[in-house]
Amino acid sequence: MQKSLHLDPAKCTGCLQCEMACSYEKLGEFNPSRSVIKVFTFHEEGRFAPYTCTQCDEAWCLRACPVDAITMDMSTGAKIVIDDKCVGCKVCTISCPFGTINYVQETGKVAKCDLCGGDPECAKACPTEAITYIDANATGYDRMKAFAEKSLPSANTSA
Amino acid sequence: MRHVIIGAGPCGVVAAETLRKQDPDSTIILIGNEPIPPYSRMAIPYFLMKDIDEAGTHLRSDDFYDTHNIQYLGHAVENVDTDLKVLTTDDGTEIPYDKLLIAAGSKPLLPPIEGADLPNVHNCWTIEDARQIAERSHSCLEVVLMGAGFIGCIILESLAKMGVNLTVIEMGDRMVPRMLDDKAGGLLEKWCIEKGVNIRTSTRVNSIKEEDDVMIVELDNGETIQACTVISATGVKPNTEFLKGSGIEVDHGIVVNTNMQTNVANVYAAGDVAQGKDFSTGNYEVQAIQPTATDHGRIAALNMAGHLVEHNGSVNMNVLDTLGLISHSFGLWMGVEGGDSVDIYNEEAYKYINLRFGADKEEDVLVGASTLGMTQHIGVIRGLIEGKTHLGVWKSRLMKDPTRLMEAYLSCTQELDNVV
Ligand SMILES: Cc1cc2nc3c(=O)[nH]c(=O)nc-3n(C[C@H](O)[C@H](O)[C@H](O)COP(=O)(O)OP(=O)(O)OC[C@H]3O[C@@H](n4cnc5c(N)ncnc54)[C@H](O)[C@@H]3O)c2cc1C
């Protein structure tokens, strides 16, 4: 059973432990600005929403890449950026309709969630279970993903 | 089933890959006319800057074609007989097809001026062009670039980084006139000048002459510039000459329907060569950009494999990195009649964002945008445009502060327990 990240904004307190854990895992330092999971704040309502790549089936980023620098991790289903191949052209960043692959000026390459090889640090760091890593078909996350994807007409063509 | 694809650029390769997934037993023949493995034009700037070697431009690993049982032929197709369903290549080989995809891309146009055909006036379109430019430019100080359109600006970046003294001539009144408005284009010009690039907008090259290995470029403002290389990026045109007499309808590009099918049965066209549907206008246009080429390739292949899949139209979109200043444009970035728009312009910080909304029933739908100096979550602009997402209360919030785009996106597209 493939697992996926389940993000539950209702449980998020905005503590940013996920961003800390993500950046520490990827960079070896606490640098939330480089985290590939982001917590968005809704000031008016005092609400928070953790957000990262849904590892969508369409994989717009992967398909748009001109140099085959994004591949699929067969064990987790994650779409992964191969740093050695990425030339930093940024075409994936405009192709991904979810905005979850971003250019990083410091490295000259793009970065996105890779599910930490199947053991996502953000989920482990979250104290309120706003981020969990669970069986794909059990997650409301799939609903969220479906909701986001149905808003896109071209998503209906994943034959 | 015998699938034949003319053109081994990103469009043709994605199509071959998709066909193989859909149809494990079919024969797939991919034909390209450059004597090297299929590569990506988009990677050429990085090859020029020596960020990558030639292999880094390849679209797939070199064993990909064998392992996917895709026959790759390096020959130019010279004739297509759609009655007999057979192609002829430049060595006289006849290749029959059941389904044909034309993904032959586009080719650069030289400007109609004296000297445009001199050997030291280069396009920057193929790996071979890039090899020649690299060879010539490493021993040279002055380079003139004709054209500051999208492709011109991409090449600008690599030439400037190669350390040459660069002068860019653009006949439009600003840089990238078909992607950026005058505010953004003006800011980009200011940025380039600050970085030491000479920019001449509203200027034409009158003629180019060569004397003692020096190129003399005469401008219509009376100025003369000496250079050792002139590079031309003055527009492209779909590769359709070899289709003469085939009965395949060509307008600006090959005319296709929403299944990427041409007017001739069993013949499809996709990518830079095709005049496909534009998402925003509903018109059929040659977009000549990478994301559209790969979308086209996939949809054409699905249809060739027997799945009736409609192409809803591609959003025209671009991203440019000009010496560190990143710009984007999406969809109807110039706006629509009766639609609202909002922008924030910060000249000192080199930041700009302009959002364009639709009219009437779509007055709260994002239809286009351009930005300068933004990099994070930029793809949601495509998501909102293509999703035709009604922004509701977020429209007026964005009209006050367009930088709140990501909050608007999340509120309108994710289940956030009634965050409004
Ligand atoms: C320097 C440069 C930078 C670019 N940067 C960007 C960018 O940043 N973003 C972006 O969106 N786009 C960019 N582009 C444009 C992008 O590369 C094209 O949109 C894309 O390559 C189109 O893909 P395609 O497969 O349709 O055509 P092509 O890549 O042109 O491939 C067509 C193939 O068909 C072959 N062919 C043509 N005629 C025949 C024939 N008769 N027989 C056999 N084979 C034939 C050609 O040799 C070629 O291999 C750039 C282009 C260049 C040159």
Side-chain angles (χ1 to χ4, degrees), chain B residues 12 20-23 34 45 47-49 55 60 72 74 80 96 153 177 188 285 297 309 360 404:
Chain B
R20 179 49 76 228
K21 233 183 251 165
Q22 296 297 321
D23 202 346
E34 293 178 55
F47 171 63
L48 262 182
M49 292 186 281
R60 295 289 181 270
Y72 174 58
V80 177
C153 278
L188 183 60
E285 289 161 17
V309 173
D360 306 324
R404 296 183 70 189

Side-chain angles (χ1 to χ4, degrees), chain A residues 10 40 42 45 51 60 63-64 66 68 87 89-90 93 95-96 99 102-103 105 143-144 147 151 153-154 157, chain B residues 40 42 46 56 59 290 295 298 309 321 324 376-379 382 386-387 406 409 411 413-417 420:
Chain A
F40 288 89
F42 294 80
E45 299 85 3
Y51 188 65
W60 277 276
R63 218 170 341 111
D68 210 15
V87 293
C89 78
K90 311 168 195 65
T93 70
S95 299
C96 167
N102 290 311
Y103 180 64
Q105 219 133 8
R143 265 195 351 243
M144 181 181 104
F147 189 68
S151 64
S154 54
T157 60
Chain B
S40 185
M42 271 198 65
Y46 307 94
L59 279 155
Q290 168 90 11
D295 279 353
R298 176 168 158 278
V309 173
D321 186 342
Q376 297 305 292
H377 312 292
I378 204 77
R382 175 190 183 180
E386 211 165 313
M406 197 53 200
Y409 172 80
S411 297
T413 63
Q414 312 286 311
E415 287 186 22
L416 295 185
D417 282 348
V420 287

Side-chain angles (χ1 to χ4, degrees), chain A residues 89 91 94, chain B residues 5-13 31-34 38-46 59 72-73 75-78 103-107 124-126 150-151 154-155 239 242 270-274 287-294 317-320:
Chain A
C89 78
V91 161
I94 58 172
Chain B
I5 301 169
I6 307 175
C11 178
V13 168
I31 311 174
N33 62 357
E34 293 178 55
Y39 70 93
S40 185
R41 306 204 182 292
M42 271 198 65
I44 288 174
Y46 307 94
L59 279 155
Y72 174 58
L73 302 180
H75 280 287
V77 173
E78 291 192 329
S106 44
K107 65 167 173 217
C124 184
W125 195 250
T126 62
F150 178 55
I151 301 289
I154 291 171
I155 304 169
N239 276 319
F242 68 99
D272 273 15
V273 78
Q287 288 184 339
I289 53 171
Q290 168 90 11
T292 299
T294 55
M317 54 190 182
N318 291 117
V319 51
L320 254 185

Side-chain angles (χ1 to χ4, degrees), chain B residues 313-334:
Chain B
S314 299
V315 175
N316 206 345
M317 54 190 182
N318 291 117
V319 51
L320 254 185
D321 186 342
T322 316
L323 304 168
L325 182 60
I326 295 167
S327 53
H328 299 95
S329 74
F330 290 86
L332 301 171
W333 56 269
M334 66 315 255

